[in-house]
Amino acid sequence: MKHDSPTTLAMIRRGERAIVVGLNAGSQQLRNRLLSMGVVRGSEVMVTGVAPFGDPIDVRVLNSRIALRLSEASHIIVIPKS
Amino acid sequence: MNSDSDLIKGGISGPWVAVAGNPNCGKTTLFNRLTGSRYKVANYPGVTVECKSGLLPIRAQSTEQKFLQVVDLPGTYSLSGTSTDEQIAIRALTGANPPSAVIAVVDSTNLTRNLFLVSQLIDLRLPLIVALNMSDEAEKAGINIYREILARQLNVAVVKIVAYRGQGLDELTRAVELLLSSPTVSVNAFAWAADKHTASGIPPLLSTPSIPDYPANGLYAPDPHEEEASLRYSWISEIVAKSCGKSSATEPNRTDRLDSFLTHKLWGPVTLFFVLGFVFQIVFAWSRMPMDLIAYGFEAVGAWLSGIITAGPLRNLLVDGVLAGVSSLIVFVPQIALLFLCIGLLEDSGYLCRAAFVLDRFMRRFGLQGRSFIPLLSCFACNVPGIMATRIIPSKRERLTTIMISPFMSCSARLPVYSVMIGAFIPRTPTSGFLSLQGVVLLGLYLLGIVGAIVSAILFDRLHRNRESAPFVMEMAPFRTPSLRVVLRGVLDRILVFIKSTGTVIVLSSVIVWFAATYPRPTETGQDLRHTYAGQIGAFIEPAIRPLGFNWEIGVGILSSFAAREVFVSTLATVYSVQSDEPSTSLARSLEEKRRAGLFTLPTALSLLIFYVFACQCLPTLAVCRRETGAWRFPVLMFGYMTLIAYCMSFITYQTAVLFLN
């Protein structure tokens, strides 16, 4: 597994996977929500879809999919998985 | 419905069982199944979140059957967040009267994430049962959960159920009975650290899991919440690995394939357009017939009553006041029922998230969010069900904004007013295109309302800059066949809540308006509005509305349309002594004569149209606004703000029109 440099989930393109490193900034409510839905260190995520205007994005986490606004996805630090 | 449990006056009293779980895990279906028809809906004190409490028949201690209170807690992903739903859940679970047992409903196809909440429930040291719902779907997906192993790992009772088919419910009830008779609490589940409290304030569990040794690259320092969540998930994935025949799958399934179409750049919006158009058609057009039937039915009852009660004030009160009031209340039911039927089906099937997903970016431009679209769309049919539908918006701030701009959407009750005025005053000349001038004006009125809504939404958004929006993070629920049972039950709940919360206001206002427009009665049988209370008030406000081009007769019409906007047409018909079965058309003709006679001018008509676009003088709307926001200041603000705008816009219209046309 090759590790690229860390980036945010907002930069990950459709069809690509990444490993979550952690969360930065963002409101406590947002962080709690993301954490409880499985966006924790070591989780694999995959961007499965993008809305017509590019925002929000549809991300697979654990065995379900969640929709995230780009502003929210930018708080999730990931390492792309190639 | 049984009212044994006095639930909401200051919290839950007596022994009770909580039903907790993630949203979309079938919790509601289970709750409905367990309680049957023995449940009621109420508000948690002080908030607008609804509480469902019911009675579950159980056999405890002796063999006699008795009822146990069951409360359906709001669906939450965790107990450590700060959202209203989570606050309510944690308060109910750790307050003065904690439940005797908790049924944690888990979506078997999503075991790992669902166990997060379960791990926190275990932390609370409450007697717990895990109900693995949707176990049929899990099997079909090749996920084999070994119930006994899972139970041993978690140290709680685990039952497999399929709630929507009613399978496993007996086993669940027996497990609840067993737990109540000999309550056991899970111990030795998970450890955070020997001497550290978890960041969320929930006491830590025991034992030590392994932490993934992933390099953090020194970019940031994980906060306690992250560490805790990370540890929980490590513990959970170990358990799932031991008790599951297949680990979390990452292959595409039916839902994923459907989604690649439904959230497609082009096909997403196209499908959405047709779906929403269909919903609108159902709510707007299919409700016509039931509404006419209801009106007809009440008229028939009125005729019958008139037959058996002698003429006089009592008969008038009962038939023209009370009965008309009840009729104007019940006439809302078809639209509410149809709208919530559509919303229920869309939500249960999973499509509602996709609609919100596609629309979110667009709606955010106006300070709204994706889910605001459907309630606002339904407001074009009627504001009342539209405002009620805003409950699908989870974020309080966007929900409030949506509610406050709802009356700008011209509802169908304004159509008679629009068509009468346009019919009498706008020439039928065709314009370039396929619409006549009349059509253009009508369209213009609707668009004007929408513009008003957009401006107000942006304004409200600016005003509430400091109030935080709830995170959008929305689960894209898997596509499932909607359960008609659950949806219909939801529709019934909405209708009952509507009647209970706004019934008195609507009927009372109708009676008051009737009274003011009828008394004092002149001695002859003629209907001279001038001497009635309504007429006197109309004359009193006339100086204030004359700059808008209105006279006292229009003033009376506006006042009486408080009870229902359509009343304006019949009031005006009365004023101009129009005696006919078709008040709209004959009124239009009568007005046309008056126009030619210079008594009712075009500027007045235009001003009146603009007034109706912006004025919120529909009491049922204000009553529903009060119910859905939980405070008086919102309907008061709504009324004041919109009346002010209506007055100003009307004034500008009239004065400009007079200037240009003279």
Side-chain angles (χ1 to χ4, degrees), chain B residues 150-404:
Chain B
L150 184 64
R152 238 180 299 133
Q153 294 284 314
L154 292 175
N155 223 329
V156 296
V158 173
V159 176
K160 279 195 184 177
I161 63 173
V162 182
Y164 87 94
R165 278 210 208 120
Q167 292 171 3
L169 300 182
D170 287 330
E171 208 187 325
L172 180 64
T173 315
R174 297 293 97 78
V176 172
E177 288 165 2
L178 188 65
L179 198 62
L180 288 171
S181 58
S182 52
T184 52
V185 172
S186 171
V187 291
N188 279 355
F190 157 77
W192 166 234
D195 53 340
K196 247 202 283 195
H197 259 283
T198 58
S200 56
I202 299 176
L205 307 181
L206 314 167
S207 109
T208 42
S210 56
I211 308 169
D213 57 343
Y214 212 87
N217 279 29
L219 278 174
Y220 75 110
D223 76 357
H225 289 274
E226 275 190 70
E227 299 258 7
E228 180 201 330
S230 203
L231 284 171
R232 282 189 196 272
Y233 271 112
S234 308
W235 173 69
I236 289 170
S237 36
E238 269 188 28
I239 290 185
V240 169
K242 287 179 192 154
S243 27
C244 232
K246 177 186 185 182
S247 57
S248 305
T250 45
E251 303 111 36
N253 51 25
R254 178 183 66 168
T255 298
D256 291 350
R257 278 181 277 133
L258 262 173
D259 262 330
S260 59
F261 177 77
L262 288 173
T263 55
H264 186 267
K265 254 193 193 27
L266 174 65
W267 297 120
V270 166
T271 323
L272 186 65
F273 177 76
F274 281 107
V275 169
L276 292 182
F278 192 50
V279 168
F280 185 72
Q281 177 71 4
I282 291 175
V283 178
F284 194 88
W286 291 15
S287 58
R288 288 284 132 216
M289 199 186 69
M291 286 167 76
D292 290 339
L293 274 174
I294 289 174
Y296 180 73
F298 274 94
E299 268 167 47
V301 174
W304 171 75
L305 270 178
S306 301
I308 61 171
I309 305 178
T310 52
L314 178 67
R315 184 174 86 175
N316 292 340
L317 171 68
L318 282 178
V319 174
D320 297 325
V322 176
L323 201 64
V326 176
S327 167
S328 69
L329 169 72
I330 303 295
V331 89
F332 280 111
V333 172
Q335 282 178 318
I336 294 176
L338 285 170
L339 176 61
F340 280 94
L341 180 67
C342 292
I343 288 182
L345 290 173
L346 288 177
E347 188 155 30
D348 224 38
S349 63
Y351 185 73
L352 199 64
C353 329
R354 276 76 187 171
F357 184 73
V358 169
L359 288 166
D360 188 63
R361 182 76 183 83
F362 172 69
M363 299 299 281
R364 246 185 303 148
R365 254 173 241 244
F366 316 121
L368 301 168
Q369 61 124 271
R371 285 175 173 230
S372 304
F373 194 82
I374 291 181
L376 289 174
L377 183 67
S378 355
C379 284
F380 281 107
C382 175
N383 288 156
V384 169
I387 291 180
M388 288 171 73
T390 57
R391 60 183 40 257
I392 62 175
I393 304 169
S395 169
K396 186 168 179 185
R397 172 174 157 183
E398 274 92 352
R399 186 172 175 215
L400 262 174
T401 310
T402 310
I403 292 177
M404 295 303 276

Side-chain angles (χ1 to χ4, degrees), chain A residues 7-11 24 68-77:
Chain A
T7 173
T8 67
L9 186 57
M11 309 296 284
N24 75 1
L68 291 168
R69 289 181 177 160
L70 283 178
S71 56
E72 293 166 341
S74 65
H75 292 303
I76 303 172
I77 304 173

Side-chain angles (χ1 to χ4, degrees), chain B residues 537-551:
Chain B
I537 299 176
F540 181 70
I541 64 169
E542 189 172 20
I545 58 177
R546 217 178 288 129
L548 313 181
F550 300 163
N551 52 21

Side-chain angles (χ1 to χ4, degrees), chain B residues 548-593:
Chain B
L548 313 181
F550 300 163
N551 52 21
W552 70 269
E553 293 127 324
I554 296 178
V556 173
I558 292 176
L559 287 171
S560 6
S561 61
F562 252 99
R565 286 193 175 98
E566 309 90 281
V567 174
F568 181 80
V569 170
S570 41
T571 308
L572 229 57
T574 311
V575 168
Y576 292 122
S577 308
V578 171
Q579 308 285 347
S580 113
D581 291 324
E582 284 291 314
S584 299
T585 41
S586 7
L587 179 62
R589 242 177 285 133
S590 161
L591 282 174
E592 206 159 345
E593 292 165 20

